[in-house]
Amino acid sequence: MKRYAIGVDIGGSHLTAAAVELLSGEVVPDSVAVSALDTRAGASEILEVWAETIGSAFRMVAGSVEGIGIAIPGPFDYGEGSSTICGVEKYDRIFGLNLTLSLVVRISGADSCRIRYVNDASAFALGESLGGALKGVRRGLALTLGTGLGSGFLLDGRLVTHGEGVPPEGWVYCLPYEGAIADDAFTTRWFLRRYRELTGREATGVREIAGEADRVPEAAAVFSDYGERLGAFTASLCEGFPAEAVVLGGNISRAFDRFAPAMCRVLAERGCRARVSPSASPDRATLVGAASLFL
């Protein structure tokens, strides 16, 4: 008998939900639902969009759902199911709400359904372990590179949040780096700042810089610099937690081919033998990982 759970990926601009077959980690065809989000809207409007989108996936396997797993960025109280995001002009209106109670009354048939929550980067790591680049890997490391730096350490397919070589909660974004923290060094902000330093011009994002890399030497240099620094940072993480494989997710990872040569060269120079690759399914891994909370 097949087992299903709903995986949900809540971001800053959109929400995705899908039914996932738990044992295989496969997303049920035609169950994927995506909705745009206005994170500055009132609580009722936000929750209605969440419930409608989740409900669409829920109805595809109604009667066979073991639970709803929700991946959401922090700050968030994952045990209690309440947002603690405040003062950043997104989700302010749902601060402190019991989201489980708020959702089950809005999703038809879900009144007795279990809902669990997980950090979005942790969910990505779990999804890659279940059916992605970290499948069958005993020690794995997942990094998400985008507007923020996310991370997940895995041992035998389970998240590791403490222990030798693992920072508290498994979060690397707050680790000291270059006089600041790693979140300032490996996210989109760094790309825009470095591009401005080398060219004197402003860029809208990493995709724009990648589009120039074949014809603008300074744009190519940005990726080379990034790869070298990310390689050194990853090697230092693997010195404490000897990962067999490292998988990269997030929007910056879509430009992996641009920074991979420099990153892999530095990893080799540092004696790190971990296999590094981008996610084969960056849009699905987080959904699968969120659903896997019910395995």
Side-chain angles (χ1 to χ4, degrees):
M1 182 177 177
K2 291 188 175 182
R3 301 170 57 197
Y4 297 97
I6 306 302
V8 184
D9 181 8
I10 295 178
S13 61
H14 70 280
L15 158 74
T16 306
V20 177
E21 203 286 301
L22 288 173
L23 297 183
S24 67
E26 294 181 358
V27 173
V28 175
D30 302 323
S31 74
V32 180
V34 183
S35 298
L37 288 172
D38 178 2
T39 58
R40 298 184 181 184
S44 293
E45 181 178 340
I46 289 173
L47 290 168
E48 287 297 336
V49 174
W50 287 14
E52 180 181 348
T53 309
I54 296 169
S56 176
F58 185 89
R59 288 188 293 273
M60 293 293 294
V61 288
S64 304
V65 177
E66 298 196 13
I68 299 170
I70 297 179
I72 186 169
F76 193 91
D77 188 328
Y78 296 99
E80 294 296 324
S82 62
S83 174
T84 54
I85 297 172
C86 184
V88 293
E89 298 186 349
K90 65 176 182 179
Y91 295 131
D92 282 349
R93 303 294 182 86
I94 64 169
F95 178 85
L97 289 180
N98 184 316
L99 296 178
T100 297
L101 292 178
S102 300
L103 287 172
V104 295
V105 299
R106 288 175 165 85
I107 302 173
S108 178
D111 52 303
S112 61
C113 191
R114 295 176 295 168
I115 299 181
R116 294 174 180 167
Y117 303 85
V118 65
N119 178 268
D120 54 344
S122 297
F124 171 75
L126 289 170
E128 289 293 330
S129 178
L130 185 59
L134 299 181
K135 185 175 183 179
V137 172
R138 184 166 189 272
R139 285 179 173 267
L141 171 63
L143 298 174
T144 55
L145 313 167
T147 55
L149 172 63
S151 55
F153 294 75
L154 291 166
L155 180 62
D156 294 326
R158 295 187 177 278
L159 286 170
V160 182
T161 57
H162 63 276
E164 185 175 355
V166 179
E169 304 300 329
W171 295 343
V172 304
Y173 80 94
C174 52
L175 293 178
Y177 195 83
E178 295 181 342
I181 60 173
D183 200 65
D184 295 323
F186 299 106
T187 56
T188 301
R189 296 188 303 280
W190 180 89
F191 269 92
L192 301 183
R193 184 171 65 248
R194 185 60 174 151
Y195 179 83
R196 184 171 58 248
E197 291 172 353
L198 294 181
T199 68
R201 303 193 304 272
E202 300 289 340
T204 58
V206 176
R207 179 181 296 182
E208 178 185 339
I209 301 172
E212 295 182 0
D214 286 330
R215 55 186 176 80
V216 179
E218 292 85 355
V222 172
F223 283 99
S224 179
D225 290 351
Y226 184 81
E228 290 179 357
R229 295 163 62 260
L230 183 60
F233 181 69
T234 303
S236 68
L237 295 177
C238 290
E239 287 171 3
F241 184 84
E244 302 162 37
V246 178
V247 62
L248 306 179
N251 286 332
I252 294 175
S253 72
R254 298 177 190 274
F256 178 74
D257 289 345
R258 297 288 185 186
F259 63 82
M263 180 182 183
C264 293
R265 173 175 53 78
V266 172
L267 285 170
E269 291 172 353
R270 293 281 295 267
C272 180
R273 298 182 178 181
R275 182 182 74 248
V276 181
S277 65
S279 172
S281 55
D283 298 323
R284 298 292 177 92
T286 303
L287 295 171
V288 173
S292 77
L293 295 176
F294 295 92
L295 276 172

